[in-house]
Amino acid sequence: MFRTALRNVLAHKARLLMTVLAVMLGVAFVSGTLVFTDTLSNAFRSQSAKSYDDVAVAVSLRPNPEEALKNPGLSQRTVDEVAKLDGVTAVAPRVDGFAGVPDKNGKLIGVGWSNKGTNFAPGKDGKDPALAFTVGNGPASADQVALDKDTADKGGYKVGDRVRVATNGPVKEFTLSGVFTTEDGAVNAGGSLVVFDAPVAQKLYLKPGYYSDMNVSAAPGADAEKLRDEVLKVVPKAATAQTGQALADQQAEDIEAGLGALNQVLLGFAGIALFVGIFLISNTFTMLVAQRTKELALMRAVGASRKQITRSVLTEAGIVGLLASAVGYVLGIGLAVALRSGMAAFDMKVPDGDLVLGATPAVAAFGVGVVITMLAAWLPGRRAAKIPPVAAMNSVHATPSTKSLVVRNSIGAAITAIGAVLIVLGANTGGDEGRMTIAGGAFATLIGVIVLIPFLVRPVIALIRPLLTVFGMSGKLAGLNAVRNPRRTGATGSALAIGLTLVTGLSVIGVSAGQALDKMTVDQIKADYMVTMASGGGLSHEALTALEKAPGVTAVSPQQAGAFDLKGTYVSASGVTPGAIEKVLKVEVVNGSLASLGEGKIAVAGKTATSRGLKVGSSVPVEYPDKKKGTLTVGAIYEDSEFLSPVLVDAKILDAHDPQPYIPQIFVSTDGGPSDANERALAKAMGDNPAITVLDQKDIRDTFGGQINLLLNIMYGLLAMALLIAVLGVVNTLAMSVFERQQEIGMIRAIGLDRRRVKRMVRLEAVVISVFGAIVGIGLGTFLAWALGKTFESSLPGYGLVVPWDRVGLFVVLAALVGVLASLWPARSAAKLNMLSAIKAE
């Protein structure tokens, strides 16, 4: 039986090729993902260990704003005391924050969030253990900085050049004192590192005389844990201390967790691709078994048992799976190398390291490939073994019994109904619980539709068939061929339906959320510009002052983040500029007047006012973050808005209790509205700071919508493999269908259908099958998108279901194009058949 299975594989090489390709692609995705994440994990773990090679103990003190008023960090006195401890050879205190450097065109080098500034921390030998200078030295005065080598190369900077450095305030110029290499995580993430003289860094990021971190080096052989205990006796109680080894291990665990999330996402899409591949494999083996019915019947007649027949089919599938897995594993290694190289295109640096080829990717590749193939082939093999030899020889088996179809349709309808009920229930429940219910319902519905899909073939294709009449006899025959075997058409269409269910669902949700955000932006922002930091950090008061003095500016207001205890409960508050906030943001006042903000009063959102029993004129006791207490009066009540905090207050009141205010954005209105001149004036007022972005309303809308579109494009890319496998399914089905219908094609050729119309018939049949799958997928995807959208309507005001008919139409057109492309080879094969040979074929 093994020799028979091997002979069958070799005899049907072309017909099994698509199955091999489908399994190969899925396996490549799985093994490539595992090799890629293993390689990254090993590289980052090695880098982490290397960066803490010389660190015996790492100390950190980063208090919250309330505690920072009393103890902002590690004082110089504490650093000196630690340096005097027995066994300590060097202490490197650090303070850090955002700092960016522009290139020669004024564009920020790096990716914003990973642009970092810190201080030079030389030891007794005058060298900073974290920096290896290739040219020059560390900064020795307030007007000097050093840069990492990559940043210096990208900016074309050399020692002695003047360098513009951007922080959260105006740009300042420094002289470049040196260029270094480092294992710092910010640089390895594609960012930059600017090293200042210590007093400058302290003034920029914390407070003169204080640091936030400290690395302690010890003599070789020193007990790190014992030294850590000694350090803890010296540093403030709020400080934390870890051994360098423990910190390296912790970072390695954090890296594993971060890459684990990426791993799960990529494996999820690989799973989808393999799930789609199951239909292709099952369909292929069903057709192969059907074509070999008489052969299998003869084997049964000469003594082969049912189990042997099933094992023969499974062995054949196992050989195919093994071959596909081997090729897929090799391709997966290539994919991992390509992904690692491709990260450079996004300015994401990966530490040097060897390609890791562990046992897990190999076992997963071969395990998944072989198991998936054999699992998909089991049902066709079982079905073949159940056919009685005499019935098989007389082809009585060809038509499925009415009873089997009724049972299948009943089961499919029941599962689909249960899934639909769960989806509707989840939509009405809302929140995370509702989304979990919808996920369960979606899985059940998808399975139910797949079981039920042969039943849907005739009614759905009946809607398409009238369009085929324009193609004459070729169109009529194509429509009849598509419904001749509903199980086969349904199985082929299922693969496309699954892919388009996901693509359509993502598109509908993405477009609906994008339009809601767009509407919210247009409705709520009256300002011409929004100014933010490229790093996502806060702007300085200097930037606010500069904008207020810029020519052409008519109104400026920050949205300064703050909070205080209001009647026993902490609430977030926005520090704004009285008299300007209503000109830059839409504030719907229900009671009172926003002018009262200039009198030191507060404005409260409607829901907050109701929950705390507040009204205009109410006096409210408050406690600020610095523990000082006071009383504020409610001067206005306004409608709740996603762009406004529950409380609005004059920014000066918050400034009095917060030495380091956080200003995430500043809104600006200008004379004459948005224009190149006004935008240029704002940029110039802030010293052409490359780290500060000036967004007009279109940019703001693109910022919100662009994130959604980027996410959608990534999802489309990941789902492309599933759709590619679906295309292979159409190719395989048509190719094998043409083989089965050789005699029929020969007959219709003999009675007058020329080669051109035979090709057209096969192409139209492929288009019908593809469009059928698209219609099912689009319908199911839209239903799921509606349900998911209902779960976050309350958290996204203005959200409503928007069906992007242009994209839906494009999906249908692409599905038809898929059919045309998939039919090229089968149609050509059908047209090339010799009429006489085809008529004699069995």
Side-chain angles (χ1 to χ4, degrees):
M1 295 305 292
F2 176 78
R3 287 198 300 271
T4 301
L6 186 59
R7 178 186 62 79
N8 285 328
V9 171
L10 297 175
H12 303 107
K13 294 186 288 292
R15 278 173 273 170
L16 287 170
L17 177 62
M18 301 304 167
T19 301
V20 171
L21 286 174
V23 178
M24 180 185 73
L25 288 172
V27 168
F29 211 149
V30 171
S31 59
T33 295
L34 294 174
V35 171
F36 174 62
T37 51
D38 282 352
T39 300
L40 282 189
S41 177
N42 181 67
F44 281 116
R45 196 184 301 111
S46 299
Q47 180 199 67
S48 177
K50 187 176 179 181
S51 63
Y52 288 102
D53 271 349
D54 298 324
V55 178
V57 179
V59 183
S60 180
L61 179 55
R62 295 174 181 263
N64 58 45
E66 182 182 324
E67 296 170 343
L69 295 171
K70 298 178 181 178
N71 194 2
L74 302 166
S75 67
Q76 185 63 51
R77 179 181 176 183
T78 301
V79 173
D80 294 338
E81 288 179 354
V82 170
K84 295 176 183 177
L85 293 174
D86 291 338
V88 174
T89 57
V91 176
R94 304 282 180 195
V95 60
D96 54 54
F98 170 78
V101 175
D103 59 20
K104 296 300 183 182
N105 297 318
K107 185 179 178 182
L108 187 69
I109 297 172
V111 287
W113 56 269
S114 60
N115 290 335
K116 180 180 166 186
T118 189
N119 61 284
F120 184 53
K124 296 175 182 177
D125 58 357
K127 297 180 180 179
D128 189 320
L131 311 174
F133 280 87
T134 57
V135 182
N137 298 291
S141 62
D143 68 338
Q144 291 184 337
V145 293
L147 293 177
D148 66 275
K149 189 176 185 301
D150 285 347
T151 301
D153 290 344
K154 290 176 183 176
Y157 295 113
K158 297 179 180 178
V159 172
D161 288 351
R162 295 293 286 175
V163 180
R164 298 174 72 242
V165 179
T167 54
N168 64 345
V171 176
K172 296 179 181 178
E173 282 198 354
F174 297 84
T175 299
L176 184 61
S177 66
V179 176
F180 57 84
T181 58
T182 178
E183 296 296 330
D184 188 274
V187 175
N188 286 306
S192 61
L193 182 62
V194 182
V195 176
F196 300 93
D197 188 37
V200 175
Q202 290 173 330
K203 185 178 179 181
L204 279 172
Y205 302 127
L206 194 57
K207 186 178 179 180
Y210 286 88
Y211 300 93
S212 49
D213 300 284
M214 174 171 51
N215 289 339
V216 181
S217 300
D223 189 330
E225 292 188 3
K226 184 178 179 181
L227 181 58
R228 179 200 59 196
D229 294 339
E230 293 298 317
V231 168
L232 282 171
K233 295 176 183 178
V234 177
V235 299
K237 291 183 179 180
T240 59
Q242 290 179 277
T243 63
Q245 184 60 52
L247 198 56
D249 292 342
Q250 181 183 319
Q251 285 198 1
E253 290 178 9
D254 293 341
I255 291 166
E256 292 278 358
L259 291 175
L262 173 64
N263 204 18
Q264 289 174 9
V265 170
L266 293 176
L267 288 177
F269 283 97
I272 293 170
L274 287 169
F275 185 58
V276 171
I278 286 176
F279 295 95
L280 189 159
I281 300 164
S282 180
N283 217 16
T284 300
F285 277 93
T286 297
M287 296 168 77
L288 284 173
V289 166
Q291 291 170 11
R292 302 207 314 264
T293 299
K294 289 186 178 181
E295 174 192 324
L296 294 173
L298 183 61
M299 291 173 64
R300 287 290 313 281
V302 297
S305 65
R306 288 185 174 184
K307 288 183 178 180
Q308 284 179 309
I309 296 294
T310 303
R311 281 201 297 268
S312 173
V313 175
L314 290 178
T315 301
E316 189 176 338
I319 294 169
V320 170
L322 196 63
L323 175 64
S325 298
V327 179
Y329 176 64
V330 174
L331 280 179
I333 294 173
L335 178 63
V337 173
L339 283 171
R340 181 174 176 177
S341 301
M343 290 181 74
F346 295 94
D347 287 330
M348 295 179 66
K349 290 180 61 180
V350 179
D352 292 333
D354 297 330
L355 189 69
V356 178
L357 300 177
T360 302
V363 171
F366 285 90
V368 166
V370 174
V371 170
I372 287 291
T373 310
M374 294 182 70
L375 182 66
W378 175 77
L379 190 59
R382 183 172 176 272
R383 197 180 292 140
K386 290 175 68 176
I387 300 172
V390 175
M393 290 177 182
N394 288 286
S395 300
V396 178
H397 69 286
T399 305
S401 67
T402 304
K403 180 181 177 182
S404 69
L405 291 174
V406 170
V407 171
R408 175 173 178 153
N409 292 339
S410 299
I411 293 172
I415 296 173
T416 303
I418 292 170
V421 169
L422 287 173
I423 290 171
V424 173
L425 181 63
N428 292 326
T429 303
D432 291 338
E433 184 180 345
R435 284 188 277 274
M436 291 298 294
T437 305
I438 290 173
F443 181 75
T445 302
L446 198 60
I447 297 298
V449 168
I450 289 168
V451 175
L452 193 63
I453 206 164
F455 174 76
L456 301 174
V457 168
R458 293 184 186 278
V460 174
I461 291 181
L463 300 174
I464 305 171
R465 281 174 65 179
L467 301 175
L468 301 176
T469 56
V470 298
F471 297 100
M473 184 55 67
S474 296
K476 184 177 181 180
L477 289 173
L480 291 171
N481 288 333
V483 297
R484 176 185 294 183
N485 191 330
R487 284 190 175 184
R488 181 183 300 170
T489 300
T492 306
S494 293
L496 270 173
I498 294 167
L500 282 172
T501 294
L502 297 170
V503 169
T504 303
L506 288 170
S507 296
V508 172
I509 289 176
V511 170
S512 300
Q515 289 202 11
L517 286 170
D518 187 62
K519 184 177 182 296
M520 186 169 65
T521 303
V522 172
D523 287 349
Q524 298 294 326
I525 299 179
K526 296 164 68 175
D528 298 320
Y529 298 99
M530 182 173 77
V531 180
T532 62
M533 288 291 292
S535 64
L539 293 151
S540 70
H541 268 289
E542 291 172 302
L544 178 61
T545 303
L547 288 170
E548 289 172 339
K549 294 178 180 179
V553 170
T554 56
V556 178
S557 178
Q559 263 214 309
Q560 183 174 318
F564 43 63
D565 190 308
L566 186 72
K567 293 190 72 173
T569 309
Y570 260 89
V571 295
S572 60
S574 287
V576 300
T577 301
I581 184 63
E582 61 268 36
K583 295 178 183 177
V584 296
L585 291 178
K586 185 177 180 180
V587 186
E588 294 283 355
V589 178
V590 177
N591 238 327
S593 171
L594 286 180
S596 61
L597 292 173
E599 302 168 6
K601 297 181 180 180
I602 60 174
V604 184
K607 291 180 181 178
T608 303
T610 301
S611 65
R612 287 169 173 74
L614 302 177
K615 59 184 180 180
V616 173
S618 298
S619 292
V620 191
V622 296
E623 183 177 319
Y624 298 101
D626 60 0
K627 296 301 181 181
K628 291 184 180 179
K629 297 181 180 180
T631 302
L632 293 173
T633 302
V634 178
I637 306 292
Y638 60 91
E639 288 186 2
D640 289 80
S641 165
E642 289 296 310
F643 270 86
L644 298 171
S645 297
V647 176
L648 298 182
V649 61
D650 188 342
K652 293 178 182 177
I653 294 177
L654 295 181
D655 290 343
H657 302 279
D658 187 353
Q660 292 182 313
Y662 175 62
I663 306 175
Q665 62 258 331
I666 300 172
F667 294 96
V668 184
S669 289
T670 55
D671 190 12
S675 68
D676 291 341
N678 282 335
E679 186 171 339
R680 178 66 193 138
L682 296 181
K684 188 175 181 180
M686 292 179 293
D688 289 320
N689 191 329
I692 296 179
T693 56
V694 180
L695 308 173
D696 60 20
Q697 284 212 349
K698 182 181 180 302
D699 294 329
I700 297 169
R701 292 160 67 182
D702 290 344
T703 298
F704 290 114
Q707 294 173 355
I708 293 175
N709 289 331
L710 176 63
L711 182 62
L712 282 178
N713 289 334
I714 292 172
M715 294 297 183
Y716 290 159
L718 292 172
L719 287 171
M721 186 172 291
L723 293 175
L724 177 59
I725 291 174
V727 173
L728 295 177
V730 178
V731 174
N732 220 21
T733 297
L734 287 173
M736 300 183 79
S737 178
V738 166
F739 178 82
E740 284 182 352
R741 301 202 313 258
Q742 287 185 72
Q743 191 175 58
E744 175 189 315
I745 292 171
M747 289 295 294
I748 61 177
R749 283 286 314 282
I751 61 176
L753 201 69
D754 59 21
R755 289 185 174 182
R756 181 172 57 84
R757 285 188 287 179
V758 167
K759 283 183 179 181
R760 184 185 300 163
M761 176 189 73
V762 177
R763 287 197 195 103
L764 290 174
E765 183 180 347
V767 170
V768 168
I769 293 173
S770 299
V771 171
F772 162 70
I775 291 172
V776 174
I778 289 168
L780 187 55
T782 303
F783 176 51
L784 290 174
W786 164 80
L788 281 172
K790 295 286 287 183
T791 63
F792 52 77
E793 268 184 346
S794 58
S795 60
L796 185 57
Y799 179 88
L801 184 70
V802 178
V803 179
W805 293 112
D806 54 339
R807 296 195 191 190
V808 170
L810 180 62
F811 294 157
V812 176
V813 171
L814 288 176
L817 182 61
V818 161
V820 172
L821 294 175
S823 67
L824 292 178
W825 173 45
R828 187 168 176 271
S829 299
K832 287 176 66 178
L833 285 174
N834 182 282
M835 281 186 287
L836 295 178
S837 299
I839 291 170
K840 291 189 295 182
E842 292 193 14

